[in-house]
Amino acid sequence: MDEAADLFLSFRNMTPEGISPEDWKPLQEAAMTVVNASLSGDSALDNKSTKELFFLLDGLEVKYGRVSALISTRADFSPDPKEAINLYEEVLDGESDETTRILALQSLVTLLIEEKSGDQLIESRLAELKEISKEDSPEWEEYLDLLEEYQLS
């Protein structure tokens, strides 16, 4: 194969933000370890696994920069809801990909409701989610679930 074909094939195997599968797979494995540790109820293992995940994230951010996939992953596993909210806001401030925006908005709105953030902020983020979700899609159903959860809170 020529050099251009090799380059094309290597890009095809990257995440949308250019993170190589060789770098992404250990992060996925570390995330699963955190989930399993959390489900086991072993707080020492959970803390250790979370620190290892954040160490991997730190290294990938040095290599790839503050890209949405890494920021969102950090937010997903942050033990501090306020930090997670700020991280999701950071993703939304710099992201144009619709799928990434929907996922970040869903997570953000969930946290905002749980943390009993201001109504105006929750309602504006719900409106944004409604606007970019297509009716009769899983995203629309999630929007409706979040709207109901907000109204019941």
Side-chain angles (χ1 to χ4, degrees), residues 64-122:
Y64 294 101
R66 299 255 321 153
V67 295
S68 296
L70 300 177
I71 299 167
S72 292
T73 302
R74 187 177 296 278
D76 291 341
F77 290 93
S78 175
D80 177 359
K82 290 183 183 356
E83 177 189 33
I85 288 169
N86 289 334
L87 290 167
Y88 287 126
E89 292 282 3
E90 182 180 345
V91 169
L92 291 167
D93 286 345
E95 185 56 57
S96 61
D97 177 71
E98 189 173 281
T99 301
T100 303
R101 289 189 69 75
I102 288 170
L103 293 172
L105 278 166
Q106 290 170 341
S107 296
L108 175 62
V109 169
T110 300
L111 276 173
L112 291 173
I113 293 169
E114 288 171 0
E115 292 300 304
K116 302 191 182 323
S117 298
D119 288 342
Q120 186 176 5
L121 178 58
I122 296 171

Side-chain angles (χ1 to χ4, degrees), residues 6 11 14 23 31 42 48-49 51 60 62 69 73 81 83-85 87 98 103 109 116 118 122 125 128 132-133 137:
D6 286 340
F11 281 130
M14 302 277 202
D23 286 337
D42 184 339
K48 179 181 181 269
S49 300
K51 285 180 184 175
L60 291 174
V62 168
T73 302
E83 177 189 33
I85 288 169
L87 290 167
E98 189 173 281
L103 293 172
V109 169
K116 302 191 182 323
I122 296 171
R125 290 305 192 177
E128 187 178 348
I132 62 175
S133 297
S137 69

Side-chain angles (χ1 to χ4, degrees), residues 17-37:
E17 294 178 310
I19 300 171
S20 74
E22 294 79 22
D23 286 337
W24 190 249
K25 185 174 170 118
L27 186 64
Q28 289 177 309
E29 291 169 353
M32 288 304 300
T33 301
V34 172
V35 170
N36 289 333

